[in-house]
Amino acid sequence: MATEPESTRTSHPLDITVVGAGILGLWQALTLARTGHRVRLVEKSTNPFADSASRFAGAMLAPGCESETAPEVRDLGIRGLTLWRAVYPRLVNAGSLVVAAPRDTAEIARFGRATRPPETLDADAIAALEPDLAGRFVRAYYFPDEAHMTTPDALAFLLDAARNSGATVELGAAWTSPSASNVVIDCRGMAAADELPALRGVRGERLVVRTREIHLARPVRLLHPRHPLYVVPWTDDRYLVGATVIESEDTGAITVRSALELLGTAYALHPAFGEAEILETGAGIRPSFPDNLPHAEIRDGGNRILVNGAYRHGFLLAPVLAEAVAGYLANQAPHELLVFSERVAHPPRPV
Ligand SMILES: Cc1cc2nc3c(=O)[nH]c(=O)nc-3n(C[C@H](O)[C@H](O)[C@H](O)COP(=O)(O)OP(=O)(O)OC[C@H]3O[C@@H](n4cnc5c(N)ncnc54)[C@H](O)[C@@H]3O)c2cc1C
């Protein structure tokens, strides 16, 4: 059962406009509305999430696995998990499993050194945890404290939760410029690149398939030197199969090469994926800074905060960024994800 997050009601409510209803904007709107601020969430697409990177995400909350590429993600991500667990009752807390073909022992050793997995499983333990993978792998890493969700359900839940917490939601409304009386939290993702010159896009392609011939209870990552893959179980026998990591801002449909590689690797994980129906394909652009870590940049004396650069960690770190911004607005509390583009003398004044 989810419990309310630890938030202190503010005695100085601010008028706040959150721009963009991707995962970062949703968490900002929810957290700030629950804190007692007067929040307006403005999203340019009429159909919520249609223009977001967030709708393509695997939505794994995997601080251990993701510390492979950015060690800082581990501690921040553990906080992210705690905040998700306090809010989202349908989070699946089943951990993550990481496997590799026996010939890729070097790859599993490298991953192990980088991520320090809490548990190493032998073939019997793999079979006990995921019976449909019995006999397929001799060694695996298990991260029992990780979690995942069905992405569209989680986004819809957060939008409702923000509304139910008092936020006003305006869809089909493209924000253009700051208003003098408002604090603006800018979560426009790649659309903010004109103001954030260091922001780059990293393309991620993925498919959604359905099969009743295999049952996996948790995300399974298959390590490979060239074609790493993860499969995330969704509700209704669906699996998200992802994802490429390509230094490109091309928003076009998934390429044949990527589809072949992802589906071929899924088939190598388990041949039952060969009979799965392909329900959906798509590619999202991950907004990323050079260090692949997000930050909230304080501008205009604290009246404008740009929250961006979530790279592969938007779901994991969105609640942490929201907590950091709420703490700054309350009492200028420092946080490692806050950066200042100028000297800030005072927090924004209540109106
Ligand atoms: C294939 C793939 C798999 C991923 N898997 C994971 C994962 O397992 N775990 C994880 O933590 N992260 C994952 N990510 C990363 C995560 O999805 C991103 O970090 C995240 O979606 C970025 O969210 P955002 O809110 O910054 O941007 P977006 O989701 O793009 O949201 C920005 C929103 O702003 C709106 N907007 C833009 N301009 C305006 C305007 N002028 N006015 C109003 N609204 C505007 C847009 O329409 C959009 O809805 C994955 C990403 C991809 C592509």
Side-chain angles (χ1 to χ4, degrees), residues 61-108:
L61 306 182
C65 293
E66 288 296 324
S67 67
E68 178 192 10
T69 49
E72 300 88 340
V73 166
R74 183 191 301 274
D75 290 343
L76 290 165
I78 289 169
R79 180 68 187 151
L81 261 168
T82 301
L83 293 166
W84 268 104
R85 286 180 175 136
V87 162
Y88 189 41
R90 280 178 278 162
L91 195 66
V92 184
N93 291 289
S96 312
L97 191 66
V98 182
V99 296
R103 66 177 173 278
D104 293 327
T105 45
E107 195 56 19
I108 203 157

Side-chain angles (χ1 to χ4, degrees), residues 150 152-153 208-210 232-240 279:
T150 299
D153 297 356
V208 180
V209 303
R210 176 182 283 137
V232 185
W234 279 9
T235 51
D236 303 324
D237 305 309
R238 292 173 296 165
Y239 292 87
L240 181 140
L279 301 180

Side-chain angles (χ1 to χ4, degrees), residues 292-338:
N292 293 333
L293 287 173
H295 59 235
E297 182 176 324
I298 315 289
R299 289 191 184 172
D300 303 339
N303 283 317
R304 181 118 186 268
I305 304 178
L306 285 87
V307 188
N308 216 315
Y311 182 53
R312 287 168 52 145
H313 312 122
F315 280 70
L316 185 62
L317 298 184
V320 185
L321 286 157
E323 188 175 59
V325 167
Y328 171 76
L329 292 176
N331 55 15
Q332 287 188 288
H335 192 286
E336 63 188 286
L337 295 179
L338 295 179

Side-chain angles (χ1 to χ4, degrees), residues 19-24 42-44 51-54 56-60 173-175 187-189 191 204 206 230 243 284 286-287 310-316:
V19 186
I23 193 65
L24 297 194
V42 179
E43 165 56 48
K44 80 171 160 52
D51 293 336
S52 72
S54 301
F56 297 104
M60 293 173 290
W175 175 84
C187 303
R188 286 178 293 147
R206 59 82 166 126
Y230 53 73
R286 307 173 181 93
Y311 182 53
R312 287 168 52 145
H313 312 122
F315 280 70
L316 185 62

